[in-house]
């Protein structure tokens, strides 16, 4: 996602105003880091080639995971308000009977980052409604907003009964509220596993340093494979840390 600048800009709109410049900064910083790390591993670090390759692959993946995780974390507050947004839209749709007008009135009801997605959606609807709704989905990166956008796209393209559309939106709102209650309980259980992963990462790093202090000769006796074992353990727990959230979504 980080190298897809268009999607990165769209997602950043939920949390920042200077999306164009900030997206450039993120991508350039990532490429500079990756280039510098690759040069360092290839030219300076003295180890076997496949271990160097493993480090470089890991350096490619980890920043992307961290940035995606940070974006998801920062947009959580907005995403939790999705039921309120949809209820306001539904209320305005009942009063105006026009999707574009309902979107405009919804944007006027909220402030800050809750207001912005509907403002952008309203502005883009006059150009290309289908593309506008697709970008709206990317901005939230949430499957419930995906469902909401698909409902509107179907209504715009094929027409239909406004009453049935309202019922489907109501069903979606109820589903989201139930999911949010379940997620809150689940995340409280999974947080201890994340804490455990962080403890294991730090424990593995400091255990190696501690062993070198207690038994200095161990540093001379260690070969490349011994060092690789420590690295692999750390990699495992870092991946585990980032995998816990997707698992908790099921």
């Amino acid at each position: 996602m980080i190298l897809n600048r268009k999607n990165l800009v769209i997602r950043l709109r939920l949390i920042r105003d200077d999306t164009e410049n900030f997206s450039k900064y993120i991508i350039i910083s990532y490429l500079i880091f990756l280039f510098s790390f690759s040069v360092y591993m290839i030219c300076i670090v003295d180890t076997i080639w496949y271990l160097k390759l493993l480090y470089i692959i890991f350096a490619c993946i980890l920043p992307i995971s961290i940035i995606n995780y940070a974006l998801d974390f920062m947009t959580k507050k907005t995403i939790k308000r999705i039921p309120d947004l949809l209820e306001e839209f539904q209320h305005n749709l009942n009063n105006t009977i026009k999707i574009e007008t309902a979107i405009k009135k919804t944007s006027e009801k909220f402030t800050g980052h809750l207001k912005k997605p509907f403002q952008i959606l309203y502005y883009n609807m006059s150009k290309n409604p289908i593309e506008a709704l697709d970008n709206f989905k990317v901005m939230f990166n949430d499957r419930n907003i995906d469902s909401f956008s698909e409902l509107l796209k179907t209504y715009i393209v094929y027409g239909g009964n406004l009453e049935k559309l309202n019922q489907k939106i109501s069903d979606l709102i109820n589903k989201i509220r139930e999911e949010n209650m379940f997620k809150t309980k689940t995340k409280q259980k999974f947080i201890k596993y994340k804490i455990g992963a962080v403890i294991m990462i730090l424990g593995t790093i400091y255990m190696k340093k501690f062993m070198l202090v207690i038994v200095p000769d161990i540093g001379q006796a260690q070969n490349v494979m011994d060092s690789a074992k420590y690295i692999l353990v750390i990699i495992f727990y870092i991946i585990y840390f980032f995998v816990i959230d997707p698992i908790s979504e099921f």
Side-chain angles (χ1 to χ4, degrees):
M1 190 277 293
I2 185 175
L3 295 179
N4 186 333
R5 187 161 171 265
K6 181 183 175 184
N7 283 358
L8 180 60
V9 167
I10 291 169
R11 287 205 65 194
L12 283 170
R13 283 175 184 158
L14 271 182
I15 52 176
R16 293 185 69 94
D17 295 322
D18 56 337
T19 54
E20 294 289 337
N21 291 333
F22 194 66
S23 64
K24 285 180 188 175
Y25 171 77
I26 291 174
I27 293 172
I28 291 169
S29 299
Y30 170 74
L31 294 175
I32 290 172
F33 163 77
L34 193 56
F35 176 76
S36 304
F37 186 82
S38 300
V39 170
Y40 172 75
M41 290 304 304
I42 293 168
C43 302
I44 298 174
V45 174
D46 183 21
T47 187
I48 48 181
W49 70 268
Y50 56 81
L51 206 52
K52 289 184 180 183
L53 181 61
L54 177 65
Y55 292 150
I56 292 170
I57 292 171
F58 185 61
C60 292
I61 296 169
L62 185 61
I64 294 174
S65 299
I66 291 171
I67 291 167
N68 280 333
Y69 183 83
L71 282 172
D72 288 340
F73 181 80
M74 287 186 284
T75 55
K76 268 181 186 176
K77 188 176 180 182
T78 303
I79 287 173
K80 280 184 180 177
R81 298 286 306 278
I82 286 175
D84 299 331
L85 290 167
L86 298 190
E87 278 184 347
E88 181 62 26
F89 170 82
Q90 189 179 36
H91 171 73
N92 292 323
L93 185 61
N94 283 332
N95 289 339
T96 62
I97 317 182
K98 289 186 178 179
I99 286 178
E100 289 84 352
T101 311
I103 291 169
K104 183 184 179 185
K105 287 190 173 292
T106 303
S107 72
E108 292 169 353
K109 174 73 175 181
F110 295 92
T111 58
H113 296 305
L114 287 170
K115 177 188 188 80
K116 204 167 185 181
F118 279 87
Q119 266 187 330
I120 295 168
L121 178 59
Y122 174 71
Y123 175 77
N124 290 333
M125 285 290 283
S126 59
K127 300 176 182 177
N128 186 332
I130 304 304
E131 187 179 337
L133 288 165
D134 285 338
N135 288 339
F136 186 70
K137 291 195 299 185
V138 173
M139 199 183 307
F140 278 93
N141 191 35
D142 177 81
R143 65 175 182 270
N144 291 312
I145 284 292
D146 291 353
S147 300
F148 171 69
S149 299
E150 290 302 320
L151 286 175
L152 296 191
K153 279 165 67 175
T154 302
Y155 184 80
I156 290 167
V157 173
Y158 300 107
N161 190 307
L162 188 63
E163 216 172 285
K164 287 183 180 178
L165 176 63
N166 267 320
Q167 184 56 52
K168 287 177 181 178
I169 294 173
S170 295
D171 293 341
L172 181 60
I173 292 167
N174 292 333
K175 175 177 166 280
I176 297 170
R177 292 201 186 280
E178 288 173 7
E179 281 181 359
N180 286 347
M181 288 176 62
F182 177 75
K183 281 180 187 176
T184 302
K185 292 177 182 177
T186 305
K187 285 187 182 298
Q188 288 171 354
K189 294 178 182 177
F190 274 88
I191 191 69
K192 61 185 178 185
Y193 298 116
K194 297 190 81 168
I195 293 169
V198 172
I199 291 170
M200 290 303 296
I201 292 166
L202 296 175
T204 304
I205 293 169
Y206 283 102
M207 182 178 70
K208 184 178 180 182
K209 292 183 178 180
F210 181 72
M211 290 298 292
L212 289 173
V213 171
I214 299 299
V215 189
D217 293 339
I218 199 171
Q220 299 173 357
Q222 273 189 334
N223 57 29
V224 174
M225 292 309 296
D226 291 327
S227 298
K229 289 174 186 175
Y230 283 105
I231 299 296
L232 288 172
V233 169
I234 292 169
I235 289 173
F236 170 78
Y237 281 109
I238 289 174
I239 292 171
Y240 178 73
F241 179 89
F242 287 105
V243 163
I244 288 172
D245 272 341
I247 289 173
S248 68
E249 295 294 324
F250 290 102

